[in-house]
Amino acid sequence: MALEVKHLRKTYGPIVAVDRLSFRVEEGSIHGLIGPNGSGKTTTFKSIVGLVIPDEGDVLLDGESLLTPQGYRLKSLIGFSPETPEAPRWLKVSEFLYLMFRADGMSRLDAEEMAEEASATFGLQEYMDTKLSRLSKGQRKRVLLAQALTPERRVYLLDEPMTGLDPEWVIKVRSILRKKAGEGSSILVSSHLLRELEAVVDSLTIIKYGVVVFSGTREELEAKLGPSKLKVFIEVDNPGLAKSVLGNLSYKLEEENNGLIVEAGSKDEVAFLVESLVKNGLKVYEVRVLEIGLEEAYMKLLRGKN
Amino acid sequence: MKNLTGIVEYEFKRIIAKKSFYLMVAMAFLPIIAAVAIKHYGHGAGLGPDKDYLWLYLYGTPRSIFGGGVLFSVVGLASYMWVFASLFGGDMIASDLRDNGLQLLLSKPIRRIDYILGKTLTVVALLYIVYLIGSIVSLVSGYIAGGHQSSIILVPLLPMVLALASIPLILLSAWIGAYSGSPMTGLLSGIGLYFLSSTIAGVVGLTAGSSGMMVRMMDYGVIDPIRASTQLATLTSMYLTGIKTMDLPSPGGSVVHYGISKLFIGSWVNLAVSSVIIAYFLARWFNRKSF
């Protein structure tokens, strides 16, 4: 089921939050909506689920508009997790999940079963009798994801889903998203950091001040901006010698602590650098990637559109 | 319909999770204390017809018209109905706005109108239950204080009238609470509207001179929905128990005989029409609002 946002525009007084935004999330794919804070990502999500009434434009689910008076029915196919990790604090986790599924139109029995299933997927079983007010932000975020990422939905809208999650859950959520996409679901996911999503998205739309600055696949983004660079930190026993070795190979270098920061074009090139250092009698203690390629391309893109 | 049930369950859970709900239920038991006090410390003293102005101002009901028969059934409930309606109306939408509940619920396959409808129905139903408890307590209190109580049929009926009569105040408090984003503002506005309504009724009454004051105050309920809501329990009780005229005492000591049919119908029509109008404008505002 494809989700299509067409010419969406929303203003708040003189402020244009989103300006004729258009993109498409194909069936079975993960689409990233990326932009700095205040770029209009949350307004876009809220417009799709009907929390914000757009001034212009449309949101289509397999060609059927979500914004018509009857469009609310289509929302039973959508799972939405909002940006802020806030939820009614007076409810226990089990009650919250149950009531959210009831609001989805499930029967009491189905809602209870689904609450159990969702809590298991998101590691919440031990918190089922705990009030939401007693959970950490990260745990509340998992509860919100649990009410959104249920199997019967075909489209998932996740606004900043990784914010507040610990690294273990970031990896698990990525894996859940990949699995859902593999099953044919369409997923729209946002972040203000490209590196959070780079590993998981098939395509992306980058917005700034509510305007699309790029929309397409990762490969198209790389093609548009030229080959991106990896910034790598290499710790060695003799930084001076290392600088000389890599300098002779025409690499751009910065010295830092007991090592060097080097710009490389690819992972193969990183291997070549390490090999060169070892061949010259240097001991390499650590190799760490500081910035992943697309992130830099993304920053370049944002800077260029000021 | 399934989704509406979901909203009803959500609102029910929200209200019963509040401490103030249990405070309100506890308040419903207060008439028993009053009844015991009356029985032991001077039956009827200080509650006679000479205090009718106070009763009328606070409850929209001159106490003496019932001759004590169903006194507690009416007064015991009406005394806190407006607080309850303002309290739960005030945070009906505003609290969901604050804790993200509104965003989550409206992202579900639920129409905004169903959200308001489901919440209002739940508040009205819970008000009915609390009023019913209050009404039974009031009946028991009546037995304690004054022995035999007439018109027991009113015990389940009056809470229904009061719950329906609360609708304008619930909706107005909900609207103000949602508009300001503050449940407290919703509550205080509801209470403020109640006192404003009573005060205007008093001023309107005064312009008629001493003999027509109460008549004017009761008449005012035909145009003011808040006033209508506070006097409907009285009017409905009288109508259903066959009382066709009110004897309204004036400050000068004379008594005005006043027919109630017109007033009864007028107040109900006012309540129904005002409820529809307020609901219409609230829904219109809510439908266009971005959250």
Side-chain angles (χ1 to χ4, degrees), chain A residues 21-231:
Chain A
L21 184 74
S22 297
F23 61 87
R24 187 179 164 89
V25 186
E26 298 295 344
E27 187 171 315
S29 77
I30 304 177
H31 189 88
L33 186 62
I34 299 159
N37 293 328
S39 57
K41 300 185 297 292
T42 295
T43 300
T44 305
F45 275 88
K46 287 183 170 182
S47 299
I48 296 170
V49 291
L51 290 166
V52 162
I53 316 291
D55 304 332
E56 291 170 30
D58 207 349
V59 179
L60 306 169
L61 216 52
D62 265 358
E64 218 176 319
S65 176
L66 272 163
L67 305 183
T68 60
Q70 295 307 313
Y72 78 96
R73 292 174 200 273
L74 294 170
K75 288 200 276 182
S76 60
L77 300 165
I78 297 175
F80 170 61
S81 171
E83 177 200 9
T84 48
E86 288 304 320
R89 291 170 167 252
W90 42 272
L91 285 170
K92 291 176 184 171
V93 172
S94 57
E95 294 170 336
F96 172 76
L97 291 173
Y98 168 81
L99 288 170
M100 287 298 109
F101 297 140
R102 287 285 287 148
D104 274 322
M106 286 184 200
S107 69
R108 284 195 175 87
L109 194 65
D110 287 348
E112 278 171 12
E113 280 175 8
M114 188 58 75
E116 287 296 325
E117 196 180 313
S119 69
T121 310
F122 285 87
L124 297 164
Q125 297 103 315
E126 60 183 301
Y127 306 113
M128 287 296 264
D129 288 327
T130 308
K131 284 201 171 171
L132 287 161
S133 57
R134 294 191 177 275
L135 298 184
S136 69
K137 275 188 183 176
Q139 288 164 335
R140 276 205 298 274
K141 194 77 187 180
R142 268 153 60 194
V143 175
L144 290 173
L145 288 168
Q147 62 82 34
L149 284 161
T150 53
E152 80 287 359
R153 272 69 175 265
R154 307 302 303 147
V155 176
Y156 299 96
L157 306 172
L158 312 173
D159 194 359
E160 305 265 0
M162 313 298 184
T163 309
L165 294 182
D166 57 39
E168 183 195 350
W169 274 100
V170 169
I171 293 165
K172 282 186 182 171
V173 169
R174 279 182 189 153
S175 141
I176 291 168
L177 297 187
R178 279 263 53 107
K179 190 172 167 231
K180 295 272 181 205
E183 290 165 357
S185 298
S186 313
I187 301 169
L188 178 65
V189 56
S190 78
S191 177
H192 58 279
L193 298 172
L194 180 58
R195 66 170 158 264
E196 270 187 356
L197 301 181
E198 193 189 358
V200 79
V201 295
D202 300 305
S203 57
L204 62 157
T205 294
I206 298 175
I207 55 172
K208 190 180 179 189
Y209 301 130
V211 179
V212 174
V213 293
F214 172 82
S215 194
T217 62
R218 293 171 50 164
E219 292 72 25
E220 284 167 347
L221 178 62
E222 278 179 358
K224 183 174 179 175
L225 294 163
S228 53
K229 297 278 186 188
L230 293 175
K231 267 193 176 177

